[in-house]
Amino acid sequence: MPSSLWRIGLALGFPLGYTDQGLRELVGPTVWGPVYLIALSVLTEVAALLTLGLVQRWGQVVPRWLPFVGGKSVPLHAVIVPAWLGVAVLSVAWTPLLLWWATPHEDMTDLGHTVVGLLYLPLVAWAPLLAALTLSYQRRHRR
C-alpha cells in the first residue's frame, strides 16, 4: 500500500522525492505516464487482495452470491497455479530492489532516495511470503 500511494502521488504531479527534472522524465509529457503509475498501483493492490484467498474461506468455496458457481469448491489448481506464477513474477519484479541503496539515483533527492527505498522494501518480501502461503494452502488442500 505505501508504494502504491506514493506512485499515485507521482501520477498526480507531486515530486515525492524526485527532482523536478526527474519527475518529468519518470511521468513523461503525455497522459500515459500517470495512467501507467495508477494502473500499476491498482494492479498491485488487486494482487495483494487476491492473496487473501489463500487464507480466507472464499479461497476454498466460491461465495454463494456469485451466480452459477456460488457455493462450489474452488479447484486446487485454479488457486495454486496462479499463486506460483505470482511468486515467479514478484520475484523477478521486486527482488532487484534489494540493490536500491547501492544504485545511484541522480534524479532523486537524498531524502527521497531513502524514503522510496523504505516504501518499496516490503515488496521484496512479497514473493517469499506468497510462496510460504501458497505452500501452506497446497498442503492443507491436498486431495
Side-chain angles (χ1 to χ4, degrees):
M1 179 69 83
S3 59
S4 292
L5 292 174
W6 175 77
R7 282 191 298 271
I8 290 170
L10 291 172
L12 295 174
F14 298 103
L16 301 176
Y18 275 92
T19 62
D20 289 337
Q21 178 64 27
L23 180 63
R24 280 192 298 277
E25 289 175 10
L26 175 73
V27 176
T30 67
V31 72
W32 294 113
V35 166
Y36 168 75
L37 290 171
I38 291 172
L40 181 60
S41 295
V42 169
L43 179 67
T44 301
E45 295 309 314
V46 167
L49 289 173
L50 285 174
T51 302
L52 290 174
L54 296 170
V55 294
Q56 297 289 325
R57 178 151 170 76
W58 54 266
Q60 301 165 31
V61 177
V62 178
R64 292 207 177 275
W65 56 267
L66 285 170
F68 308 112
V69 294
K72 294 183 180 178
S73 293
V74 177
L76 180 65
H77 284 78
V79 175
I80 62 169
V81 169
W84 285 118
L85 287 172
V87 169
V89 169
L90 292 171
S91 295
V92 169
W94 301 123
T95 302
L97 288 173
L98 285 171
L99 303 174
W100 177 262
W101 283 279
T103 308
H105 293 85
E106 289 83 22
D107 53 350
M108 301 187 85
T109 65
D110 290 337
L111 178 61
H113 183 260
T114 301
V115 169
V116 170
L118 293 172
L119 290 175
Y120 272 76
L121 195 55
L123 294 174
V124 175
W126 193 357
L129 291 173
L130 179 58
L133 280 175
T134 304
L135 188 59
S136 173
Y137 183 95
Q138 196 171 342
R139 287 182 176 167
R140 284 182 286 128
H141 296 90
R142 260 190 229 155
R143 295 200 165 92

